[in-house]
Amino acid sequence: MEADERRNGDPSNHNHRAPKKPRLAGLITESDIRSEFAHHQTGIARINNGSFGCCPGSVLEAQREWQLRFLRQPDEFYFDGLRRGLLASRTVISDLINADDVDEVSLVDNATTAAAIVLQKVGRCFSQGTYKKDDTVVMFHCAFQSVKKSIQAYVSRVGGSTVEVRLPFPVNSNEEIISVFRQGLEKGRANGRTIRLAIIDHITSMPCVLMPVRELVQICREEGVEQVFVDAAHAIGSVKVDVKDIGADYYVSNLHKWFFCPPSIAFFYCKKRSSESDVHHPVVSHEFGNGLPIESAWIGTRDYSSQLLVPSVMEFVNRFEGGIEGIMIRNHDEAVRMGLMLANAWGTNLGSPPDMCVGMVMIGLPSKLCVESDEDATNLRSYLRVHYSVEVPVYFLGLRDGEEGVKDKESGLITAYVRISHQVYNKQEDYERLRDAITELVKDQITCQNLPAV
Amino acid sequence: MASSLSPPEEASYHHRHSKRYSSSSSSTNGVAVESVPDFVKRPKISLPNYISPSEIESEFSHHDPAFTRINNGSFGCCPSSILARQRDWQLRFLRQPDRFFFEQLKPKLSESRSVIKRLINAEHDEEVSIVDNATTAAAIVLQQTAWAFREGKYDKGDAVVMLHYAFGSVKKSVEAYVTRSGGHVIEVQLPFPVISADEIIDQFRIGLEAGKANGRRVRLALIDHVTSMPSVVIPIKELVKICRREGVDQVFVDAAHGIGCVDVDMKEIGADFYTSNLHKWFFAPPSVAFLYCRKSSSGARDLHHPVVSDAYGNGLAVESSWVGTRDYSAQLVVPSILEFVNRFEGGIDGIKKRNHESVVEMGQMLVKSWGTQFGCPPEMCASMIMVGLPVCFGVSSDSDVSKLRTFLRERFRIEIPTYFRPPADGEIDPITGYVRISFQVYNKPEDYHRLRDVINGLVRDGFRCTSLSG
């Protein structure tokens, strides 16, 4: 499959940057990689990079150096080193994501923080009467739970209403998603309401699907949606990110998931507009009013070291063939290959076609496991962790009335999926261990109903 | 280090040989301190193994040795044994983050909260939330105030009273949350230098009166426990009582310089909300603070962390314990800090007491040598004190003191914050420049001797602030 197709989920994207030429002498070796991740617990199949990410030893080392600089002489660091370090990180990111101006890029803790910033602003507009009561926020039903709560806290509380678009899953094409999204927008505009904000995931979390985000943003523009916020928590290091091409007003991605930073750091892109943007960091410091990048660069005394590491991470990824792009391509290809291996072994399916996956793939679990609730999924996950040393998230697919569902080779309904991740430290054995664990459970006729207590 | 041979001024800092015979059973903030009976206190009997001066040096060996570091107040300090424990926690997450998240994070954060709750004499665990810093705590409390204005619980124009010397970030937070939602802000002007606590109390009363003028209510009093610049210990218990008598809805104490600096007893102080950083004077790594919210306080249930996660609605303490993927290690080392401070005689209370005595002693030495004065009486300071700079420097603006601070850092490798005190009408030869000296366990008399000598050297050289560029 074409590398281009994965960029922003849109095959027609022409903004192709050729992968960096590998430095033949200095390419990282297998044993280097093992050494970089030697702090990971051995003996477990760690196939959940999507949740908490990873950080190589050399970047951790760089982090300690930054931390020490602060501890040695904090005043000097505060007055001199910190700002420069943050600007250096922001500049690297700005280039990477094709922003027009580094002032469009702020560093915050995580996507959850960025959501609070956007939703606080929307909430203020409702409070001030700029938005009418019942004007809408449109989002997908599988939006991250924290984002939903944030909407409750800042939008619903002041009279805004929400429209949830149900993501079809399993999904077969971008058109399926685009179609339901259009319907969602229509609902949002019903009865003369205005859609003030659309929240679109670039890569949904659970279930995990690479969305046609560029297309969806375009539809928002066509349909008069006032602002678009792309929650791309998983994006950077997973797919190529070109914020101009995507065209959203706000775009956030965590760097501690797929971009090798330690917890926690995210970049938050806010497209420059002619009018005052009124986005503010909720933790107000003396920098209030100086623009979000500056506000975010000082929110009181804290450890900012994780935000200073972006240049060090670039050094790390450039030791790999093809740099970060090479890593992304290989992660995708391996995840899909392992996903197909599992689906074949279990007689199940993939949750989305390969070109709608990134370094994460959803694979149906055998119906014989009888996963019938979220609780079942959680228990199964714990069981796999404790008894098989496999770390993988399990998703329960609650089918609604009238939905047909997909059947496995035993003709049973597939009600649950695992989400496997592939990152540079993973090996084939990790996925084989998962394969064998599930196969054994089925063979032993273990179900979620008779699962032994963990 | 033979204490009998050390110069008299060092006797206070020699922890091993400091006055054992004084009572060690004073207010302990809920932490039990053994009271050793007099007849045991004979040097020949083997006594508890307190931390030695060389161990202290070793704990802070990561501090830049080229610098004279007398500004603990700004960014605090963290001993290497705590840093090592912090790295342990970071590693636990990195090793197997899912397991750590599902099994360890919440119970371990609860442990930290329990430790803090006991230290500050709070009634219930849920009254204690752990946040990054006092700046975050201020945003939490003020956001609640803003909602009350926006939703009509408070009338537009109702007042929020705060001190003129409130921290810059807090002032901006008040602007962002209170002013923007229709609240009226009153700043209480405090005198500086200050002669007595009564001066502060009087001014505060006047501020409350102004708040209540024209039938308004005072919805929130925001009071520093220890102001930052200029630094003074505020008579907080008295002010809280006045607030209660005058019908102020809520009292929020900003005690960024609280725990490890002054006595922090929630029941005694009686505020609705109280926040303090642990990384300033309680040896935590950056950054960790607590926000205490009295259960019975109005609005306690409407407090939310501004970074909303799936924990929203479960109470502030729970919301604060999960604000998305982050490094929570600074919050997890709190129990270890207790171990550290209890290696000192008298634990944290002993440290506070000695820091206070030392900073006053060093301050007096400077005042005498420079011919200036303190910014407040010694009993109105804790472990920081404002010391007047020689008048001949000609300090006449904020810019002057800022440049002076940089000059001291870059030329002399002295780290000390400086303050410009505008002269009042009619004052003759007023002291317009002050330094704020801090004393923490790693400090030595030499640090202050150095400052003394550098300033005296500048005086001799006819130094004027106007000569500084930039």
Side-chain angles (χ1 to χ4, degrees):
Chain A
M1 72 219 67
E2 288 292 89
D4 276 336
E5 279 172 19
R6 274 183 299 290
R7 294 207 174 84
N8 304 334
D10 184 342
S12 63
N13 184 346
H14 296 297
N15 188 15
H16 172 94
R17 222 197 303 162
K20 260 183 107 124
K21 263 199 161 157
R23 298 186 323 258
L24 292 165
L27 279 187
I28 196 167
T29 64
E30 277 302 315
S31 103
D32 286 339
I33 296 176
R34 264 199 305 280
S35 168
E36 286 282 4
F37 294 99
H39 53 275
H40 284 192
Q41 189 171 341
T42 50
I44 65 160
R46 182 170 165 150
I47 45 184
N48 185 26
N49 195 73
S51 283
F52 298 106
C54 67
C55 183
S58 49
V59 175
L60 291 173
E61 199 46 58
Q63 182 183 28
R64 273 193 280 278
E65 281 173 32
W66 281 111
Q67 287 167 335
L68 206 62
R69 269 185 69 176
F70 173 84
L71 295 164
R72 263 174 77 82
Q73 217 298 43
D75 299 77
E76 187 165 51
F77 184 69
Y78 169 72
F79 284 107
D80 186 33
L82 178 61
R83 233 146 277 200
R84 280 189 286 121
L86 291 173
L87 184 60
S89 282
R90 283 169 54 212
T91 306
V92 170
I93 292 169
S94 178
D95 289 339
L96 211 54
I97 67 174
N98 196 28
D100 269 333
D101 190 331
V102 71
D103 282 341
E104 294 176 314
V105 176
S106 303
L107 297 176
V108 296
D109 276 345
N110 43 41
T112 307
T113 306
I117 292 174
V118 175
L119 293 166
Q120 274 197 342
K121 175 210 158 109
V122 169
R124 274 195 293 277
C125 291
F126 276 104
S127 287
Q128 288 157 7
T130 317
Y131 295 170
K132 294 196 311 290
K133 200 164 176 307
D134 284 336
D135 276 351
T136 45
V137 172
V138 175
M139 65 203 193
F140 283 91
H141 89 286
C142 57
F144 203 56
Q145 183 63 359
S146 297
V147 175
K148 290 188 169 185
K149 288 287 187 179
S150 210
I151 292 173
Q152 188 188 325
Y154 292 119
V155 174
S156 313
R157 183 171 180 167
V158 287
S161 70
T162 54
V163 169
E164 286 193 8
V165 175
R166 197 164 169 80
L167 181 79
F169 188 82
V171 64
N172 299 305
S173 70
N174 285 333
E175 281 63 48
E176 291 179 16
I177 297 176
I178 289 165
S179 164
V180 294
F181 188 68
R182 279 197 198 276
Q183 288 169 31
L185 290 187
E186 267 184 50
K187 231 175 126 189
R189 282 199 310 262
N191 304 327
R193 293 181 303 188
T194 309
I195 303 174
R196 297 298 182 175
L197 181 72
I199 302 179
I200 306 172
D201 295 71
H202 192 154
I203 299 165
T204 54
S205 177
M206 269 307 211
C208 185
V209 175
L210 174 61
M211 308 274 269
V213 67
R214 195 169 156 276
E215 185 88 86
L216 295 176
V217 173
Q218 213 165 317
I219 292 170
C220 286
R221 298 301 181 211
E222 288 164 11
E223 303 292 324
V225 171
E226 189 169 302
Q227 294 165 104
V228 183
F229 170 36
V230 174
D231 176 0
H234 287 275
I236 189 150
S238 281
V239 283
K240 181 108 174 74
V241 173
D242 184 329
V243 291
K244 280 220 308 258
D245 187 56
I246 293 170
D249 298 282
Y250 308 110
Y251 187 105
V252 65
S253 187
N254 290 337
L255 279 80
H256 52 262
K257 277 194 192 289
W258 295 93
F259 205 70
F260 304 105
C261 285
S264 67
I265 166 181
F267 78 80
F268 181 36
Y269 162 84
C270 302
K271 188 154 76 168
K272 233 177 195 157
R273 8 151 57 92
S274 48
S275 54
E276 205 231 313
S277 64
D278 195 34
V279 278
H280 294 281
H281 200 290
V283 177
V284 177
S285 79
H286 63 276
E287 298 287 9
F288 180 72
N290 292 333
L292 186 65
I294 303 296
E295 288 185 12
S296 307
W298 187 257
I299 51 173
T301 301
R302 300 182 61 195
D303 182 353
Y304 292 90
S305 63
S306 55
Q307 301 184 354
L308 300 165
L309 293 166
V310 179
S312 302
V313 167
M314 290 309 291
E315 275 177 41
F316 174 74
V317 301
N318 285 336
R319 289 165 64 194
F320 289 77
E321 187 178 349
I324 188 63
E325 278 119 354
I327 292 173
M328 291 187 320
I329 291 168
R330 287 186 297 273
N331 278 344
H332 170 271
D333 291 351
E334 270 308 288
V336 168
R337 195 170 75 86
M338 292 296 100
L340 290 169
M341 184 264 288
L342 293 169
N344 277 331
W346 298 338
T348 59
N349 64 337
L350 296 191
S352 62
D355 63 336
M356 291 177 75
C357 295
V358 291
M360 294 183 286
V361 176
M362 303 291 287
I363 303 118
L365 282 170
S367 59
K368 286 242 153 66
L369 288 175
C370 301
V371 180
E372 291 170 5
S373 65
D374 287 324
E375 203 190 321
D376 281 349
T378 306
N379 291 339
L380 179 59
R381 177 181 186 168
S382 303
Y383 193 80
L384 288 169
R385 179 187 302 124
V386 174
H387 287 272
Y388 289 97
S389 296
V390 171
E391 188 60 61
V392 72
V394 179
Y395 171 69
F396 166 64
L397 177 62
L399 286 169
R400 282 154 70 171
D401 290 333
E403 279 181 354
E404 274 212 14
V406 171
K407 298 212 168 90
D408 64 6
K409 71 171 187 232
E410 307 286 327
S411 296
L413 257 177
I414 293 174
T415 57
Y417 288 73
V418 285
R419 180 187 78 189
I420 62 167
S421 295
H422 186 281
Q423 187 44 297
V424 299
Y425 54 80
N426 283 120
K427 294 188 157 30
Q428 184 154 324
E429 297 93 85
D430 300 332
Y431 309 91
E432 288 168 349
R433 192 187 308 201
L434 171 63
R435 175 197 65 195
D436 298 342
I438 296 295
T439 305
E440 186 172 283
L441 287 176
V442 170
K443 190 169 71 75
D444 293 346
Q445 299 185 325
I446 308 279
T447 68
C448 284
Q449 286 68 51
N450 64 25
L451 205 58
V454 148
Chain B
M1 212 209 261
S3 67
S4 52
L5 298 176
S6 32
E9 60 207 344
E10 285 188 20
S12 309
Y13 321 106
H14 208 200
H15 299 271
R16 184 189 293 270
H17 299 278
S18 59
K19 306 179 215 134
R20 281 193 208 289
Y21 307 117
S22 58
S23 164
S24 57
S25 57
S26 48
S27 156
T28 56
N29 294 342
V31 175
V33 170
E34 285 173 30
S35 191
V36 184
D38 272 346
F39 71 87
V40 176
K41 292 173 188 166
R42 268 175 283 145
K44 289 203 174 81
I45 296 173
S46 90
L47 289 153
N49 211 7
Y50 293 129
I51 193 170
S52 68
S54 73
E55 281 171 332
I56 295 174
E57 258 190 58
S58 166
E59 286 282 3
F60 295 99
S61 58
H62 52 274
H63 287 190
D64 191 337
F67 261 88
T68 300
R69 183 170 169 148
I70 38 187
N71 183 25
N72 195 73
S74 283
F75 297 105
C77 65
C78 184
S80 35
S81 50
I82 301 294
L83 292 172
R85 299 305 303 270
Q86 185 189 20
R87 272 195 285 279
D88 287 341
W89 283 112
Q90 286 166 342
L91 210 60
R92 269 199 233 188
F93 171 84
L94 293 164
R95 264 170 70 79
Q96 217 299 43
D98 297 78
R99 188 162 211 162
F100 182 75
F101 169 71
F102 283 108
E103 292 178 10
Q104 294 197 38
L105 181 60
K106 289 219 161 80
K108 292 302 181 183
L109 285 176
S110 287
E111 261 182 56
S112 289
R113 279 168 47 214
S114 291
V115 167
I116 293 172
K117 172 195 145 201
R118 283 195 298 278
L119 275 170
I120 68 173
N121 198 22
E123 184 94 45
H124 308 274
D125 270 358
E126 70 207 73
E127 291 179 322
V128 176
S129 301
I130 299 183
V131 295
D132 278 345
N133 44 41
T135 306
T136 306
I140 291 173
V141 175
L142 293 168
Q143 189 182 224
Q144 172 245 175
T145 310
W147 277 121
F149 277 106
R150 272 191 237 130
E151 292 176 336
K153 190 166 149 212
Y154 296 165
D155 294 326
K156 297 266 189 280
D158 275 352
V160 167
V161 173
M162 61 194 273
L163 303 183
H164 170 60
Y165 292 133
F167 196 58
S169 296
V170 175
K171 286 191 169 184
K172 284 290 188 179
S173 210
V174 169
E175 183 190 316
Y177 284 110
V178 174
T179 311
R180 265 212 300 199
S181 57
H184 176 70
V185 179
I186 296 197
E187 290 191 6
V188 175
Q189 303 291 324
L190 293 184
F192 185 79
V194 62
I195 313 282
S196 73
D198 284 335
E199 289 187 330
I200 294 178
I201 291 169
D202 290 341
Q203 286 300 113
F204 188 73
R205 277 194 210 279
I206 294 170
L208 283 188
E209 283 309 309
K212 285 158 68 174
N214 304 326
R216 289 187 299 221
R217 298 274 311 263
V218 177
R219 296 298 186 176
L220 178 73
L222 206 172
I223 316 173
D224 299 68
H225 195 152
V226 179
T227 54
S228 177
M229 268 306 206
S231 186
V232 172
V233 175
I234 302 289
I236 196 77
K237 276 192 272 204
E238 190 69 77
L239 295 187
V240 172
K241 285 202 191 91
I242 293 169
C243 285
R244 298 299 181 211
R245 276 202 298 270
E246 299 294 319
V248 173
D249 276 37
Q250 293 175 345
V251 182
F252 171 32
V253 177
D254 175 3
H257 294 275
I259 188 161
C261 189
V262 285
D263 286 345
V264 173
D265 183 324
M266 296 300 98
K267 292 204 190 113
E268 267 199 32
I269 292 170
D272 296 277
F273 313 118
Y274 187 106
T275 183
S276 181
N277 289 332
L278 279 75
H279 50 264
K280 274 194 195 289
W281 294 95
F282 202 69
F283 305 104
S287 66
V288 51
F290 73 83
L291 171 57
Y292 162 86
C293 307
R294 203 160 65 160
K295 197 170 172 184
S296 58
S297 160
S298 75
R301 267 184 303 279
D302 203 30
L303 289 167
H304 294 283
H305 198 289
V307 177
V308 176
S309 76
D310 57 350
Y312 181 73
N314 293 328
L316 181 65
V318 173
E319 289 185 13
S320 305
S321 68
W322 184 253
V323 290
T325 301
R326 296 191 48 194
D327 182 350
Y328 292 88
S329 62
Q331 304 182 0
L332 295 164
V333 293
V334 174
S336 306
I337 299 175
L338 217 49
E339 280 171 38
F340 175 75
V341 300
N342 286 336
R343 289 167 65 193
F344 290 77
E345 188 186 350
I348 190 62
D349 285 325
I351 292 172
K352 272 158 43 180
K353 183 161 175 290
R354 287 184 297 271
N355 280 349
H356 171 71
E357 286 165 2
S358 304
V359 85
V360 169
E361 192 177 326
M362 291 296 97
Q364 276 162 349
M365 183 260 300
L366 293 171
V367 158
K368 197 151 165 254
S369 179
W370 298 342
T372 57
Q373 65 182 30
F374 280 152
C376 67
E379 60 271 15
M380 289 183 72
C381 88
S383 41
M384 299 180 288
I385 196 161
M386 305 295 288
V387 178
L389 284 168
V391 174
C392 59
F393 280 6
V395 170
S396 58
S397 66
D398 285 323
S399 165
D400 278 349
V401 290
S402 177
K403 284 189 251 175
L404 177 61
R405 177 178 186 172
T406 305
F407 179 59
L408 289 171
R409 177 187 306 123
E410 289 179 358
R411 173 77 79 85
F412 296 104
R413 295 265 182 272
I414 294 176
E415 191 58 58
I416 191 153
T418 49
Y419 175 71
F420 167 60
R421 184 262 183 194
D425 288 339
E427 280 182 336
I428 306 172
D429 277 344
I431 293 175
T432 50
Y434 285 79
V435 286
R436 181 185 79 187
I437 62 170
S438 294
F439 192 97
Q440 186 46 298
V441 298
Y442 55 81
N443 283 120
K444 296 181 160 61
E446 297 91 88
D447 300 332
Y448 309 86
H449 295 161
R450 182 134 193 282
L451 174 67
R452 172 197 67 195
D453 297 341
V454 163
I455 297 293
N456 284 336
L458 290 172
V459 170
R460 269 198 306 276
D461 294 344
F463 171 81
R464 298 281 177 279
C465 279
T466 43
S467 69
L468 292 170
S469 59

